[in-house]
Structures are given as C-alpha cells and as structure tokens.
C-alpha cells in the first residue's frame, strides 16, 4: 500500500475525530449551561433536586435530532459524520452515567442503538468514515463516562 493511499484514509479519520471531539466538548458546555440555568432559575435553594438524568438525555436527544437533519442535508460528508459522532458520543455518555449502577444494561442499550445506526448507515450506503465515527463515539464516550 503506498503512502498516498494511507494518507487518503488518515486525513478524513483525523478530521472526523478532531471535529467530533470539538463538537462533543461544545455539547457538554451547552449541557452545563442548561443545567446551570435550570439550577439557578428553578432550584436556587436546593441544587440537588435538578433532574440531571433528564437534562442529559434531553441534550443527547437534541443533538441527535440536529445530527439527523444535518445528515439529511447537503452538508459535506465530513460534517455529517462529525455530527453523527457527537450525537452518538453524547448518547453513550448519558447512558453510562445514568445507568452506572447497572453497566450491563447500559452497554446493552448502547450496543443496540449503535447496531441500529450502523444498520441505517449500511441501508443508506454511507461512506466508511461514518462507521469510524461510530467507533470513535463509542470509545470516547466510554473513556469519558466509565466508572473507575
């Protein structure tokens, strides 16, 4: 395999990984802003009553909806793959953190949802970097949220 062929695979993989990490960080900052606003407005005297799990999943759902519309748009394929990575990473993190007492159930849910997304990617004949975005999302999400 020549060097140009290797670089033609490494550059998209690096772009998607970097963009996905940046999008995931931006999504968590948005989530933090939402949590801070809900805490300040609705629970100023008792911040422990903030429904963190609900807010995590609402954030993941909004990012997933955004990813769905971006994948259906005419945006560049790299941008679409980055949003798939961000949405799946956010979903992985929200699921593991919410179900950390029952990790087997959390992993089952994550594998099931990833399988559905991979099936849809195969159905719509998406390029290879969507699949690597799913792998990146799974690895990044588990690295961030796995209990030590």
């Amino acid at each position: 395999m020549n060097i140009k062929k290797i670089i033609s695979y490494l550059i998209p993989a690096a772009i998607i990984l970097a963009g996905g990490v940046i999008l995931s960080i931006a999504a968590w900052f948005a989530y933090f802003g939402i949590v801070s606003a809900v805490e300040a407005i609705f629970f100023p005297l008792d911040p422990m009553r903030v429904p963190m799990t609900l807010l995590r999943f609402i954030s993941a759902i909004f990012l997933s909806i955004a990813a769905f519309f971006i994948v259906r748009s005419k945006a560049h394929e790299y941008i679409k793959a980055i949003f798939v990575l961000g949405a799946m990473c956010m979903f992985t993190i929200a699921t593991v953190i919410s179900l950390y007492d029952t990790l087997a159930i959390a992993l089952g849910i994550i594998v099931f949802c990833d399988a559905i997304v991979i099936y849809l990617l195969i159905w719509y004949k998406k390029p290879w970097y969507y699949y690597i975005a799913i792998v990146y999302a799974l690895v990044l999400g588990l690295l961030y949220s796995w209990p030590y």
Side-chain angles (χ1 to χ4, degrees):
M1 196 176 224
N2 65 20
I3 193 75
K4 288 184 181 184
K5 187 76 167 173
I6 293 171
I7 290 175
S8 72
Y9 286 110
L10 286 178
I11 289 175
I15 289 170
I16 291 166
L17 177 62
V21 168
I22 290 168
L23 180 63
S24 296
I25 291 170
W28 275 105
F29 276 127
Y31 162 74
F32 178 71
I34 292 167
V35 168
S36 297
V38 167
E39 181 180 314
I41 295 169
F42 298 110
F43 303 100
L45 300 176
D46 190 10
M48 296 303 291
R49 295 186 57 204
V50 175
M52 301 297 277
T53 301
L54 179 65
L55 293 176
R56 267 187 222 108
F57 279 109
I58 287 172
S59 299
I61 288 169
F62 278 135
L63 189 57
S64 298
I65 291 169
F68 173 78
F69 285 116
I70 288 173
V71 167
R72 307 279 294 160
S73 73
K74 294 184 185 221
H76 193 278
E77 293 294 322
Y78 292 171
I79 302 296
K80 295 177 185 180
I82 288 168
F83 270 86
V84 168
L85 189 158
M88 294 305 295
C89 186
M90 187 81 163
F91 174 76
T92 300
I93 292 169
T95 303
V96 171
I97 289 175
S98 298
L99 299 173
Y100 68 92
D101 288 334
T102 54
L103 286 176
I105 294 172
L107 291 176
I109 292 169
I110 291 166
V111 168
F112 179 74
C113 291
D114 283 353
I116 290 171
V117 171
I118 289 170
Y119 174 78
L120 291 172
L121 293 175
I122 292 169
W123 180 268
Y124 289 111
K125 297 179 176 91
K126 293 296 182 182
W128 64 270
Y129 37 86
Y130 282 91
Y131 304 100
I132 198 133
I134 298 295
V135 172
Y136 284 157
L138 186 61
V139 170
L140 290 172
L142 290 177
L143 283 175
Y144 178 82
S145 61
W146 194 261
Y148 292 101

